[in-house]
Structure formats: structure tokens, C-alpha cells
Amino acid sequence: MQVDTPALLSFFEAALEADYTRLKRIGNVLAKAMAADGDVAGAKSLQSMLRRRGVPLQTSGYAESLPRDSGSQQPLVEEAAWPTVPLLLNDDAGQVVSRFLEDARHVELLTSQGVASRLAMLLHGAPGTGKSLLAGHIAAQLGVPIYTVRLDSIISSRLGDTAKNIRNVFDFAPGRRAVLFLDEIDAVAKVRDDRNELGELKRVVNTVLQGLDSLQDDTVVIAATNHPHLLDPAIWRRFPYKIDLGVPDDRVRSDMWTHYLFRGDGTRHAEAALLGKFSEGLTGADIENIAMSARRREVLEGAEPPLAQALLAVASSKAGAPSLIDRRSLSHDDRRALAALLQERIGLEVTNIAKIIGVSRQMAHRYLKEHSHAE
Ligand SMILES: Nc1ncnc2c1ncn2[C@@H]1O[C@H](COP(=O)(O)OP(=O)(O)OP(=O)(O)O)[C@@H](O)[C@H]1O
Ligand SMILES: [Mg+2]
């Protein structure tokens, strides 16, 4: 293909001005030219790149059109990039997501038959269970940008501006094929605690309700909260699709270990399953953190830390407070404690315990005995 100088110049100009819209247009023109030149594969990959990339609004040509807080001039809405990590979900949650995506993709048909439901989904669950990740995945699956609104930040603004901010956000949403993501939606309820003023709480809740009701049928809105019990029942009712993200189950935890620790290597299944069983109660974010600490050790020390190190880190982690892998080797006490935990928590045989903690079978026996005596 010959270099098309004017196209190249406008490409650089658009890129340097961070003009997302123009850049995409030029990309599409280029892709067509490539296809016409016979480079079908090149054209296809350029086109899929153009479809895939979410550009943060702050750095893009759209920044001017973002609604802002009139006092601080901070944007009320931000565009997030599509996630790069996979979403691993329990079966129940996965089913709600599939149903939601199917309904969103066929909204016109469903509307024409008079059976469409609002495309509003409420995600609740502890921190680090993947609420933001799930919202990003839905946007990516639908091929649309995701606009995130942190309710807690727009609500802590000057008294009286809150309702205006909420209205601005909902005015901004229609007409854009996008996912509107209302993060920390329980912040609406906090008005009551912070200001001790019921009148304002009512106004704020009403503004959110009006905003939700004003959206067209085909607008996708996703809300997330760590405190579902704080939500006003009227807000709760506006979301026909609800997912309790809870903590991941056995299978999902094992998949998380495969992905985050073993980089998708299916041959490490047995270890992933063991870690999965052992890490009951931990969230996706906890598992990711522990796994990343192991991989950092691997990069810095040139060898993968033994499985026992990962298990020990899991043993001393709590949901929301993962304990990372440090460089020290296992002490006798560590081995003894781990042997007992592997037996108690997941009923592992002595032979396997010995292998994992790196001692002879007799030694593992002794550890277990010593431990039961010490109790
Ligand atoms: N279900 C999951 N599948 C894969 N990765 C996950 C999952 N849950 C959490 N993670 C990992 O943890 C990170 C943090 O999750 P995320 O920000 O989505 O949690 P959240 O529920 O929105 O938490 P918060 O309430 O603190 O906002 C994710 O980016 C991902 O790397
Ligand atoms: Mg989140």
C-alpha cells in the first residue's frame, strides 16, 4: 500500500489533539483503503481495533461535553476503558448476565412485542467481588462505551447542587449508545446520615428515581453497591435484574487461580483446584492480589515460589485483607501449621501434605501429631 500523505497527516493531527471521533473516522477510511488494496486481514484487524478500544474521556475529544459539577468543575461522569481481565462468575450470576445481554441485544424486538423490560441491573456484593468488572464486561459485550458515575462523589458536593448533578447525569445519558454505570448508589442513602436532613434525602432519592424513569427502554443502566440494605426500596424496585455477586464458589476460585497465578495454563489444574478449595471465603480481588505477589517473586527471584508459600498466604488472608507472599522460606512452625490446615480444611492425605510442604511422610505425620498435642 502506498503512503497516503494527507490521510497520514490528519491521522497524526487527530492523535495529537486526542480527537477520538476523528481518529476513528480516519481509521475506518484507512481500513476501507486497505481492503480495496487486497489487505483484507489487515483491514479486519484495524476495524476490530477501532471497535474494541475504549478511550478514557478525559484524554479524548469528548471531554468538553461531559457534565461537570458547577462548583468544583470536576466531571460527574468518566468513561472507563473496557476490562482486559476475564470475568469469572458463579453459575447463577452468569445466567442472569446472559439473560440480560440477550434482552439488551434484542430490545427492539422485545419492545415491538410489548414485552421489553427496563435494561437496569443492580449489582451487590462485598468489595472486590467484581461489580465494576462485570459492568465493564457488559459494555464490552454490547460493544458500547461505559460511563461511570460515582454517586458518592457527586453527592458530597455543595448542598443543593446534588440534585442538579444527578439531573445532569441522567440528561447526559439518553441518545448515547452506552452503559451508564452508577457506582456506590447507596451513597444516596448517606445524605441522611451526613446531614441529618430528611427533606434533602427525599429530594435526592426522588431525583434518582425520576432520572431512572426518564431513561429510554434501550438505555442500559447498571448500579452497584456494597450496602444493599441501605438502598431505598423504590430504587431497589427500579432494577429488574439483580445479581448478588457474593464470594466465588469452589470452581470459580479454582479458575481464578488458573488465570491469575498460572496464566491460564490448564496443566496446572490440580494445584489450582487445591488452592481453590483452600481459599474459601476470599474474593476475586484477594486471589488476584495473592497471585500477583507470587508472580512478582517469580520475576524478581527467577523461580516460582513453591505452592506451599501460596497456600500459607491464603491461610493468613481474610476476605478484603489478602496476605501477600513474602520472600522468606517456610519455617518449621509454618510447615506444621500448614500441614494441620491442609488436613482440617480440605481433608488432604498425609502423603499429599508431605509433598506440598516438602518433607518426608514421617515428618508430616510428626507435624500433625505435634499439632494435635499442642491444641
Ligand atoms: N469475578 C471476578 N472474576 C475475575 N476477576 C475478578 C473477579 N472479581 C474480582 N476480580 C479481580 O479483582 C479486581 C477488582 O474487582 P472490582 O473492582 O470489579 O470489584 P468491585 O466489586 O467493583 O469492588 P468495590 O466494591 O471495591 O468497587 C478486578 O479488576 C479483577 O482483577
Ligand atoms: Mg467497584
Side-chain angles (χ1 to χ4, degrees), residues 84-145:
T84 50
V85 291
L87 174 69
L88 303 163
L89 287 183
N90 296 352
D91 289 343
D92 290 353
Q95 270 166 20
V96 182
V97 173
S98 311
R99 195 150 38 80
F100 182 80
L101 284 171
E102 199 185 354
D103 292 357
R105 289 189 179 118
H106 298 102
V107 64
E108 276 171 29
L109 173 65
L110 296 175
T111 308
S112 73
Q113 299 296 310
V115 292
S117 141
R118 298 159 178 274
L119 293 172
M121 176 145 83
L122 182 68
L123 309 175
H124 52 105
T129 47
K131 298 182 295 297
S132 301
L133 184 63
L134 173 51
H137 267 273
I138 287 184
Q141 287 284 324
L142 296 175
V144 298

Short mmCIF file of all heavy atoms in Angstrom, two decimals, residues 84-145:
data_model
loop_
_atom_site.label_atom_id
_atom_site.label_comp_id
_atom_site.label_asym_id
_atom_site.label_seq_id
_atom_site.Cartn_x
_atom_site.Cartn_y
_atom_site.Cartn_z
N THR A 84 -9.64 -5.75 30.66
CA THR A 84 -8.76 -6.67 29.94
C THR A 84 -8.70 -8.03 30.63
O THR A 84 -8.20 -8.98 30.06
CB THR A 84 -7.34 -6.10 29.87
OG1 THR A 84 -6.97 -5.71 31.18
CG2 THR A 84 -7.25 -4.91 28.95
N VAL A 85 -9.18 -8.11 31.87
CA VAL A 85 -9.18 -9.42 32.53
C VAL A 85 -10.53 -10.09 32.35
O VAL A 85 -11.55 -9.42 32.24
CB VAL A 85 -8.86 -9.34 34.05
CG1 VAL A 85 -7.45 -8.93 34.28
CG2 VAL A 85 -9.82 -8.42 34.77
N PRO A 86 -10.54 -11.43 32.28
CA PRO A 86 -11.82 -12.11 32.10
C PRO A 86 -12.65 -12.02 33.36
O PRO A 86 -12.12 -11.80 34.45
CB PRO A 86 -11.41 -13.56 31.84
CG PRO A 86 -10.11 -13.72 32.53
CD PRO A 86 -9.43 -12.39 32.44
N LEU A 87 -13.93 -12.21 33.19
CA LEU A 87 -14.84 -12.19 34.33
C LEU A 87 -15.19 -13.63 34.66
O LEU A 87 -15.63 -14.38 33.80
CB LEU A 87 -16.09 -11.42 33.91
CG LEU A 87 -17.24 -11.40 34.88
CD1 LEU A 87 -16.88 -10.57 36.10
CD2 LEU A 87 -18.48 -10.82 34.20
N LEU A 88 -14.95 -14.02 35.91
CA LEU A 88 -15.24 -15.40 36.30
C LEU A 88 -16.39 -15.36 37.30
O LEU A 88 -16.28 -14.72 38.33
CB LEU A 88 -13.99 -16.03 36.90
CG LEU A 88 -12.79 -15.99 35.94
CD1 LEU A 88 -11.49 -16.23 36.67
CD2 LEU A 88 -12.97 -16.99 34.82
N LEU A 89 -17.47 -16.03 36.94
CA LEU A 89 -18.69 -15.90 37.75
C LEU A 89 -19.26 -17.24 38.16
O LEU A 89 -19.13 -18.23 37.43
CB LEU A 89 -19.77 -15.18 36.94
CG LEU A 89 -19.63 -13.70 36.70
CD1 LEU A 89 -20.85 -13.20 35.93
CD2 LEU A 89 -19.50 -12.94 38.01
N ASN A 90 -19.94 -17.26 39.31
CA ASN A 90 -20.72 -18.43 39.71
C ASN A 90 -21.84 -18.65 38.68
O ASN A 90 -22.24 -17.69 38.00
CB ASN A 90 -21.38 -18.20 41.08
CG ASN A 90 -20.33 -18.04 42.19
OD1 ASN A 90 -19.15 -18.24 41.97
ND2 ASN A 90 -20.80 -17.65 43.37
N ASP A 91 -22.34 -19.87 38.60
CA ASP A 91 -23.33 -20.16 37.56
C ASP A 91 -24.56 -19.27 37.61
O ASP A 91 -25.02 -18.78 36.59
CB ASP A 91 -23.78 -21.63 37.67
CG ASP A 91 -22.66 -22.56 37.22
OD1 ASP A 91 -21.73 -22.07 36.54
OD2 ASP A 91 -22.71 -23.76 37.56
N ASP A 92 -25.10 -19.04 38.82
CA ASP A 92 -26.33 -18.25 38.94
C ASP A 92 -26.12 -16.87 38.36
O ASP A 92 -26.93 -16.37 37.58
CB ASP A 92 -26.72 -18.09 40.41
CG ASP A 92 -27.20 -19.40 40.99
OD1 ASP A 92 -27.35 -20.35 40.19
OD2 ASP A 92 -27.42 -19.46 42.21
N ALA A 93 -25.02 -16.24 38.76
CA ALA A 93 -24.75 -14.88 38.30
C ALA A 93 -24.54 -14.88 36.78
O ALA A 93 -25.06 -14.02 36.07
CB ALA A 93 -23.52 -14.32 39.01
N GLY A 94 -23.82 -15.90 36.30
CA GLY A 94 -23.56 -15.99 34.86
C GLY A 94 -24.85 -16.07 34.07
O GLY A 94 -24.98 -15.48 33.00
N GLN A 95 -25.84 -16.79 34.64
CA GLN A 95 -27.10 -16.91 33.92
C GLN A 95 -27.83 -15.60 33.83
O GLN A 95 -28.41 -15.26 32.80
CB GLN A 95 -27.98 -17.96 34.59
CG GLN A 95 -27.71 -19.33 34.01
CD GLN A 95 -28.29 -20.44 34.84
OE1 GLN A 95 -29.19 -20.20 35.64
NE2 GLN A 95 -27.79 -21.63 34.68
N VAL A 96 -27.83 -14.83 34.93
CA VAL A 96 -28.51 -13.53 34.88
C VAL A 96 -27.82 -12.63 33.85
O VAL A 96 -28.48 -11.94 33.06
CB VAL A 96 -28.53 -12.83 36.26
CG1 VAL A 96 -29.26 -11.51 36.19
CG2 VAL A 96 -29.16 -13.73 37.30
N VAL A 97 -26.49 -12.68 33.83
CA VAL A 97 -25.77 -11.85 32.86
C VAL A 97 -26.14 -12.25 31.43
O VAL A 97 -26.42 -11.39 30.59
CB VAL A 97 -24.24 -11.97 33.07
CG1 VAL A 97 -23.49 -11.24 31.97
CG2 VAL A 97 -23.84 -11.41 34.43
N SER A 98 -26.17 -13.55 31.14
CA SER A 98 -26.51 -13.98 29.77
C SER A 98 -27.91 -13.51 29.39
O SER A 98 -28.13 -13.05 28.28
CB SER A 98 -26.50 -15.49 29.63
OG SER A 98 -25.34 -16.01 30.15
N ARG A 99 -28.83 -13.66 30.33
CA ARG A 99 -30.22 -13.27 30.04
C ARG A 99 -30.28 -11.77 29.77
O ARG A 99 -30.94 -11.30 28.84
CB ARG A 99 -31.11 -13.65 31.23
CG ARG A 99 -32.56 -13.64 30.94
CD ARG A 99 -33.34 -14.65 31.81
NE ARG A 99 -32.87 -14.78 33.17
CZ ARG A 99 -33.18 -13.93 34.16
NH1 ARG A 99 -33.95 -12.89 33.92
NH2 ARG A 99 -32.72 -14.13 35.38
N PHE A 100 -29.57 -11.01 30.59
CA PHE A 100 -29.57 -9.56 30.44
C PHE A 100 -29.00 -9.16 29.07
O PHE A 100 -29.57 -8.34 28.36
CB PHE A 100 -28.73 -8.94 31.57
CG PHE A 100 -28.69 -7.45 31.55
CD1 PHE A 100 -29.75 -6.71 32.07
CD2 PHE A 100 -27.60 -6.77 31.02
CE1 PHE A 100 -29.73 -5.33 32.06
CE2 PHE A 100 -27.56 -5.38 31.01
CZ PHE A 100 -28.63 -4.67 31.53
N LEU A 101 -27.89 -9.80 28.70
CA LEU A 101 -27.26 -9.46 27.42
C LEU A 101 -28.19 -9.81 26.26
O LEU A 101 -28.32 -9.06 25.30
CB LEU A 101 -25.94 -10.21 27.27
CG LEU A 101 -24.77 -9.66 28.08
CD1 LEU A 101 -23.58 -10.61 28.03
CD2 LEU A 101 -24.37 -8.28 27.58
N GLU A 102 -28.86 -10.95 26.39
CA GLU A 102 -29.77 -11.36 25.33
C GLU A 102 -30.91 -10.35 25.20
O GLU A 102 -31.26 -9.93 24.10
CB GLU A 102 -30.32 -12.75 25.65
CG GLU A 102 -30.88 -13.45 24.45
CD GLU A 102 -31.52 -14.78 24.81
OE1 GLU A 102 -31.42 -15.21 25.98
OE2 GLU A 102 -32.12 -15.37 23.90
N ASP A 103 -31.46 -9.95 26.33
CA ASP A 103 -32.55 -8.98 26.30
C ASP A 103 -32.08 -7.64 25.73
O ASP A 103 -32.79 -6.98 24.97
CB ASP A 103 -33.12 -8.77 27.71
CG ASP A 103 -33.84 -10.03 28.21
OD1 ASP A 103 -33.92 -11.01 27.43
OD2 ASP A 103 -34.29 -10.04 29.37
N ALA A 104 -30.85 -7.23 26.10
CA ALA A 104 -30.34 -5.94 25.61
C ALA A 104 -30.11 -5.99 24.11
O ALA A 104 -30.38 -5.03 23.39
CB ALA A 104 -29.03 -5.59 26.32
N ARG A 105 -29.64 -7.14 23.61
CA ARG A 105 -29.37 -7.25 22.18
C ARG A 105 -30.66 -7.28 21.36
O ARG A 105 -30.64 -6.94 20.19
CB ARG A 105 -28.55 -8.51 21.89
CG ARG A 105 -27.13 -8.38 22.38
CD ARG A 105 -26.29 -9.54 21.88
NE ARG A 105 -24.93 -9.39 22.34
CZ ARG A 105 -24.30 -10.24 23.16
NH1 ARG A 105 -24.94 -11.32 23.57
NH2 ARG A 105 -23.07 -10.02 23.53
N HIS A 106 -31.73 -7.71 21.99
CA HIS A 106 -32.99 -7.84 21.23
C HIS A 106 -34.04 -6.86 21.71
O HIS A 106 -35.22 -7.11 21.61
CB HIS A 106 -33.52 -9.27 21.33
CG HIS A 106 -32.59 -10.27 20.74
ND1 HIS A 106 -31.76 -11.06 21.48
CD2 HIS A 106 -32.30 -10.56 19.44
CE1 HIS A 106 -31.02 -11.81 20.68
NE2 HIS A 106 -31.32 -11.52 19.45
N VAL A 107 -33.57 -5.72 22.21
CA VAL A 107 -34.51 -4.79 22.84
C VAL A 107 -35.56 -4.29 21.84
O VAL A 107 -36.72 -4.10 22.21
CB VAL A 107 -33.76 -3.62 23.53
CG1 VAL A 107 -33.00 -2.77 22.55
CG2 VAL A 107 -34.70 -2.79 24.37
N GLU A 108 -35.18 -4.15 20.58
CA GLU A 108 -36.16 -3.63 19.61
C GLU A 108 -37.30 -4.63 19.41
O GLU A 108 -38.47 -4.26 19.44
CB GLU A 108 -35.49 -3.34 18.28
CG GLU A 108 -34.86 -1.96 18.29
CD GLU A 108 -33.99 -1.70 17.07
OE1 GLU A 108 -34.29 -2.28 16.01
OE2 GLU A 108 -33.03 -0.92 17.21
N LEU A 109 -36.92 -5.88 19.23
CA LEU A 109 -37.93 -6.93 19.05
C LEU A 109 -38.84 -6.99 20.28
O LEU A 109 -40.07 -7.00 20.17
CB LEU A 109 -37.24 -8.27 18.83
CG LEU A 109 -38.15 -9.49 18.79
CD1 LEU A 109 -39.09 -9.44 17.58
CD2 LEU A 109 -37.34 -10.78 18.76
N LEU A 110 -38.19 -7.00 21.46
CA LEU A 110 -38.98 -7.13 22.69
C LEU A 110 -39.91 -5.92 22.86
O LEU A 110 -41.05 -6.08 23.28
CB LEU A 110 -38.04 -7.27 23.90
CG LEU A 110 -37.17 -8.53 23.90
CD1 LEU A 110 -36.19 -8.52 25.06
CD2 LEU A 110 -38.04 -9.78 23.96
N THR A 111 -39.42 -4.73 22.49
CA THR A 111 -40.25 -3.53 22.61
C THR A 111 -41.42 -3.63 21.64
O THR A 111 -42.57 -3.33 21.99
CB THR A 111 -39.42 -2.27 22.33
OG1 THR A 111 -38.26 -2.31 23.15
CG2 THR A 111 -40.21 -1.00 22.64
N SER A 112 -41.13 -4.06 20.41
CA SER A 112 -42.22 -4.10 19.41
C SER A 112 -43.30 -5.09 19.83
O SER A 112 -44.45 -4.94 19.46
CB SER A 112 -41.65 -4.45 18.04
OG SER A 112 -41.29 -5.82 18.03
N GLN A 113 -42.92 -6.08 20.62
CA GLN A 113 -43.92 -7.04 21.08
C GLN A 113 -44.51 -6.65 22.43
O GLN A 113 -45.29 -7.40 23.01
CB GLN A 113 -43.29 -8.44 21.21
CG GLN A 113 -42.76 -9.00 19.91
CD GLN A 113 -43.85 -9.23 18.87
OE1 GLN A 113 -44.87 -9.85 19.16
NE2 GLN A 113 -43.66 -8.69 17.67
N GLY A 114 -44.08 -5.50 22.92
CA GLY A 114 -44.63 -5.02 24.19
C GLY A 114 -44.18 -5.80 25.41
O GLY A 114 -44.85 -5.80 26.44
N VAL A 115 -43.05 -6.50 25.32
CA VAL A 115 -42.62 -7.30 26.47
C VAL A 115 -41.22 -6.91 26.98
O VAL A 115 -40.60 -7.65 27.74
CB VAL A 115 -42.62 -8.82 26.15
CG1 VAL A 115 -44.04 -9.30 25.95
CG2 VAL A 115 -41.77 -9.12 24.92
N ALA A 116 -40.74 -5.74 26.54
CA ALA A 116 -39.40 -5.33 26.97
C ALA A 116 -39.41 -4.99 28.46
O ALA A 116 -40.43 -4.55 29.00
CB ALA A 116 -38.93 -4.13 26.16
N SER A 117 -38.29 -5.23 29.09
CA SER A 117 -38.16 -4.83 30.49
C SER A 117 -37.10 -3.72 30.50
O SER A 117 -36.32 -3.61 29.56
CB SER A 117 -37.72 -6.05 31.28
OG SER A 117 -36.79 -5.71 32.25
N ARG A 118 -37.13 -2.89 31.54
CA ARG A 118 -36.04 -1.91 31.60
C ARG A 118 -34.72 -2.63 31.62
O ARG A 118 -34.58 -3.63 32.33
CB ARG A 118 -36.03 -1.17 32.94
CG ARG A 118 -37.15 -0.40 33.29
CD ARG A 118 -37.08 -0.24 34.82
NE ARG A 118 -38.19 0.57 35.23
CZ ARG A 118 -38.15 1.89 35.25
NH1 ARG A 118 -37.05 2.53 34.95
NH2 ARG A 118 -39.20 2.58 35.60
N LEU A 119 -33.72 -2.07 30.97
CA LEU A 119 -32.41 -2.70 30.98
C LEU A 119 -31.61 -2.15 32.15
O LEU A 119 -30.60 -1.47 31.98
CB LEU A 119 -31.71 -2.46 29.64
CG LEU A 119 -32.39 -3.19 28.48
CD1 LEU A 119 -31.78 -2.77 27.15
CD2 LEU A 119 -32.31 -4.70 28.65
N ALA A 120 -32.11 -2.43 33.35
CA ALA A 120 -31.47 -1.89 34.55
C ALA A 120 -31.05 -3.04 35.44
O ALA A 120 -31.85 -3.91 35.78
CB ALA A 120 -32.45 -0.97 35.28
N MET A 121 -29.79 -3.05 35.81
CA MET A 121 -29.27 -4.16 36.61
C MET A 121 -28.59 -3.62 37.87
O MET A 121 -27.83 -2.66 37.80
CB MET A 121 -28.28 -4.95 35.77
CG MET A 121 -27.63 -6.06 36.53
SD MET A 121 -27.33 -7.47 35.46
CE MET A 121 -25.84 -6.97 34.74
N LEU A 122 -28.89 -4.27 38.98
CA LEU A 122 -28.29 -3.87 40.25
C LEU A 122 -27.31 -4.95 40.70
O LEU A 122 -27.66 -6.12 40.80
CB LEU A 122 -29.39 -3.70 41.29
CG LEU A 122 -28.92 -3.25 42.67
CD1 LEU A 122 -28.40 -1.81 42.61
CD2 LEU A 122 -30.06 -3.34 43.68
N LEU A 123 -26.08 -4.53 40.94
CA LEU A 123 -25.06 -5.48 41.41
C LEU A 123 -24.77 -5.21 42.86
O LEU A 123 -24.49 -4.07 43.24
CB LEU A 123 -23.77 -5.28 40.60
CG LEU A 123 -23.93 -5.28 39.09
CD1 LEU A 123 -22.60 -4.95 38.42
CD2 LEU A 123 -24.45 -6.62 38.62
N HIS A 124 -24.87 -6.24 43.69
CA HIS A 124 -24.45 -6.03 45.06
C HIS A 124 -23.53 -7.13 45.51
O HIS A 124 -23.55 -8.24 44.99
CB HIS A 124 -25.64 -5.83 46.01
CG HIS A 124 -26.69 -6.90 45.92
ND1 HIS A 124 -26.84 -7.87 46.87
CD2 HIS A 124 -27.63 -7.15 45.00
CE1 HIS A 124 -27.84 -8.66 46.54
NE2 HIS A 124 -28.33 -8.26 45.40
N GLY A 125 -22.67 -6.81 46.47
CA GLY A 125 -21.68 -7.78 46.92
C GLY A 125 -20.53 -7.04 47.56
O GLY A 125 -20.38 -5.82 47.37
N ALA A 126 -19.73 -7.80 48.30
CA ALA A 126 -18.63 -7.20 49.05
C ALA A 126 -17.62 -6.54 48.09
O ALA A 126 -17.63 -6.83 46.90
CB ALA A 126 -17.94 -8.30 49.85
N PRO A 127 -16.78 -5.66 48.63
CA PRO A 127 -15.74 -5.06 47.79
C PRO A 127 -14.87 -6.15 47.17
O PRO A 127 -14.58 -7.16 47.80
CB PRO A 127 -14.91 -4.23 48.77
CG PRO A 127 -15.80 -3.99 49.94
CD PRO A 127 -16.75 -5.15 50.00
N GLY A 128 -14.48 -5.94 45.91
CA GLY A 128 -13.56 -6.87 45.26
C GLY A 128 -14.21 -8.13 44.71
O GLY A 128 -13.53 -9.09 44.36
N THR A 129 -15.54 -8.15 44.60
CA THR A 129 -16.20 -9.33 44.05
C THR A 129 -16.47 -9.18 42.55
O THR A 129 -17.07 -10.07 41.95
CB THR A 129 -17.52 -9.65 44.79
OG1 THR A 129 -18.28 -8.44 44.91
CG2 THR A 129 -17.25 -10.20 46.17
N GLY A 130 -16.06 -8.06 41.97
CA GLY A 130 -16.14 -7.94 40.51
C GLY A 130 -17.31 -7.13 39.98
O GLY A 130 -17.69 -7.29 38.82
N LYS A 131 -17.87 -6.24 40.82
CA LYS A 131 -19.01 -5.45 40.35
C LYS A 131 -18.62 -4.51 39.20
O LYS A 131 -19.26 -4.49 38.16
CB LYS A 131 -19.62 -4.64 41.52
CG LYS A 131 -20.15 -5.54 42.63
CD LYS A 131 -20.79 -4.75 43.76
CE LYS A 131 -19.81 -3.89 44.51
NZ LYS A 131 -18.75 -4.66 45.21
N SER A 132 -17.54 -3.75 39.43
CA SER A 132 -17.10 -2.83 38.37
C SER A 132 -16.66 -3.61 37.14
O SER A 132 -16.93 -3.22 36.00
CB SER A 132 -15.95 -1.96 38.86
OG SER A 132 -16.36 -1.22 39.99
N LEU A 133 -16.00 -4.72 37.39
CA LEU A 133 -15.52 -5.56 36.28
C LEU A 133 -16.71 -6.06 35.45
O LEU A 133 -16.68 -6.03 34.22
CB LEU A 133 -14.75 -6.75 36.88
CG LEU A 133 -14.09 -7.71 35.91
CD1 LEU A 133 -13.02 -7.00 35.09
CD2 LEU A 133 -13.47 -8.89 36.66
N LEU A 134 -17.75 -6.49 36.13
CA LEU A 134 -18.93 -7.01 35.43
C LEU A 134 -19.57 -5.90 34.59
O LEU A 134 -19.95 -6.13 33.43
CB LEU A 134 -19.92 -7.58 36.46
CG LEU A 134 -21.30 -8.01 35.97
CD1 LEU A 134 -21.21 -8.93 34.77
CD2 LEU A 134 -22.06 -8.72 37.08
N ALA A 135 -19.69 -4.70 35.14
CA ALA A 135 -20.28 -3.60 34.38
C ALA A 135 -19.46 -3.34 33.11
O ALA A 135 -20.00 -3.16 32.02
CB ALA A 135 -20.36 -2.34 35.25
N GLY A 136 -18.14 -3.37 33.26
CA GLY A 136 -17.26 -3.15 32.11
C GLY A 136 -17.43 -4.25 31.06
O GLY A 136 -17.44 -3.99 29.86
N HIS A 137 -17.59 -5.49 31.54
CA HIS A 137 -17.76 -6.60 30.60
C HIS A 137 -19.06 -6.49 29.83
O HIS A 137 -19.12 -6.83 28.65
CB HIS A 137 -17.71 -7.94 31.34
CG HIS A 137 -16.34 -8.51 31.37
ND1 HIS A 137 -15.85 -9.30 30.36
CD2 HIS A 137 -15.33 -8.36 32.25
CE1 HIS A 137 -14.60 -9.63 30.64
NE2 HIS A 137 -14.26 -9.07 31.79
N ILE A 138 -20.11 -6.02 30.51
CA ILE A 138 -21.38 -5.89 29.80
C ILE A 138 -21.24 -4.85 28.69
O ILE A 138 -21.68 -5.07 27.56
CB ILE A 138 -22.50 -5.56 30.80
CG1 ILE A 138 -22.78 -6.85 31.57
CG2 ILE A 138 -23.74 -5.05 30.08
CD1 ILE A 138 -23.90 -6.79 32.54
N ALA A 139 -20.59 -3.73 28.99
CA ALA A 139 -20.37 -2.69 27.97
C ALA A 139 -19.57 -3.30 26.81
O ALA A 139 -19.90 -3.11 25.63
CB ALA A 139 -19.66 -1.50 28.57
N ALA A 140 -18.51 -4.04 27.14
CA ALA A 140 -17.67 -4.61 26.09
C ALA A 140 -18.46 -5.61 25.24
O ALA A 140 -18.37 -5.62 24.02
CB ALA A 140 -16.46 -5.30 26.71
N GLN A 141 -19.28 -6.42 25.91
CA GLN A 141 -20.09 -7.41 25.17
C GLN A 141 -21.07 -6.72 24.24
O GLN A 141 -21.38 -7.22 23.18
CB GLN A 141 -20.87 -8.29 26.15
CG GLN A 141 -20.02 -9.30 26.90
CD GLN A 141 -19.63 -10.46 26.01
OE1 GLN A 141 -20.41 -10.90 25.16
NE2 GLN A 141 -18.41 -10.94 26.16
N LEU A 142 -21.59 -5.57 24.69
CA LEU A 142 -22.56 -4.86 23.85
C LEU A 142 -21.84 -3.94 22.86
O LEU A 142 -22.48 -3.32 22.02
CB LEU A 142 -23.53 -4.05 24.73
CG LEU A 142 -24.43 -4.87 25.66
CD1 LEU A 142 -25.24 -3.96 26.56
CD2 LEU A 142 -25.36 -5.77 24.84
N GLY A 143 -20.53 -3.84 23.01
CA GLY A 143 -19.75 -3.01 22.08
C GLY A 143 -20.01 -1.52 22.24
O GLY A 143 -19.96 -0.77 21.27
N VAL A 144 -20.30 -1.08 23.47
CA VAL A 144 -20.57 0.35 23.68
C VAL A 144 -19.67 0.88 24.80
O VAL A 144 -19.18 0.11 25.62
CB VAL A 144 -22.05 0.59 24.06
CG1 VAL A 144 -22.98 0.14 22.93
CG2 VAL A 144 -22.42 -0.10 25.36
N PRO A 145 -19.46 2.19 24.85
CA PRO A 145 -18.64 2.75 25.94
C PRO A 145 -19.34 2.64 27.29
O PRO A 145 -20.56 2.46 27.34
CB PRO A 145 -18.46 4.22 25.56
CG PRO A 145 -19.31 4.48 24.39
CD PRO A 145 -19.91 3.21 23.90
#
